[in-house]
Amino acid sequence: MARSATLAGRLLVGLQDTRGNTALHMAVQYDQKRSVDWIMAHHGHESLNMLNADGMTPFTLAAHRGNVSMFHHILNKHMKTVVWQYGSTQRVKLSLQQVDSYRTTTSSLHGHPKWQSAFEIIIRQEIAAFARDPIVTHLLEDKWAKFARRKYER
């Protein structure tokens, strides 16, 4: 009985509407952090990587909507892994799979023709809400220093 309830919960959380949105997409769209947390606690990790018809995951949808608070909520609460802890001190690893524009061959997201990283969405659509965000500005400064500056300083 418990196993079938778990399977039913997993199936329901992963269902998509006619636009490809999951319950997690909808929770992000309507800025419902408690719903995001509930979905993630009930087998929602799979839907974190599901694309809607526009090629957006729930995380990249938060970036597209300019919802900095939801962006950080998902990133810090559901996309990081504690790799070391001593008392209250932690070392964490953040997944940049959906954040950075760098493509890998091991990610199914990166091979989808419509998919864009959160960074690409923020830069190309000039989402002003992220203009002073430390993660975005740090990533932009690093990319400028390592790749773009050389093209313009000749």
Side-chain angles (χ1 to χ4, degrees), residues 101 119 123 139-154:
S101 57
F119 187 70
I123 299 302
L139 189 57
L140 182 60
E141 288 168 357
D142 278 357
K143 285 189 170 289
W144 172 258
K146 290 179 182 152
F147 305 110
R149 177 180 285 150
R150 283 178 263 159
K151 289 182 178 183
Y152 297 97
E153 289 184 342
R154 291 181 191 197

Side-chain angles (χ1 to χ4, degrees), residues 27-28 31-33 36 62 67-75:
V28 168
D31 198 22
Q32 299 296 312
K33 290 185 183 105
V36 167
N67 191 335
V68 178
S69 176
M70 182 64 79
F71 175 90
H72 282 283
H73 180 78
I74 294 172
L75 184 65

Side-chain angles (χ1 to χ4, degrees), residues 3-110:
R3 184 176 179 173
S4 64
T6 301
L7 180 59
R10 183 173 288 142
L11 291 173
L12 290 174
V13 166
L15 288 178
Q16 292 177 287
D17 67 10
T18 56
R19 296 284 307 142
N21 292 309
T22 64
L24 193 54
H25 283 92
M26 299 308 289
V28 168
Q29 184 171 337
Y30 291 101
D31 198 22
Q32 299 296 312
K33 290 185 183 105
R34 286 183 28 202
S35 295
V36 167
D37 294 342
W38 186 90
I39 292 165
M40 293 301 289
H42 293 87
H43 312 290
H45 281 79
E46 292 171 12
S47 61
L48 190 58
N49 291 314
M50 292 177 78
L51 298 170
N52 66 12
D54 297 320
M56 293 188 199
T57 64
F59 180 70
T60 58
L61 179 62
H64 172 73
R65 294 180 64 79
N67 191 335
V68 178
S69 176
M70 182 64 79
F71 175 90
H72 282 283
H73 180 78
I74 294 172
L75 184 65
N76 292 319
K77 193 162 186 180
H78 302 294
M79 295 175 74
K80 76 177 181 181
T81 306
V82 176
V83 293
W84 177 85
Q85 182 171 353
Y86 184 75
S88 62
T89 303
Q90 293 180 338
R91 181 165 183 105
V92 298
K93 176 174 71 171
L94 286 175
S95 171
L96 294 180
Q97 179 184 19
Q98 293 189 43
V99 177
D100 197 0
S101 57
Y102 181 78
R103 299 280 197 265
T104 65
T105 56
T106 58
S107 171
S108 61
L109 289 175
H110 295 184

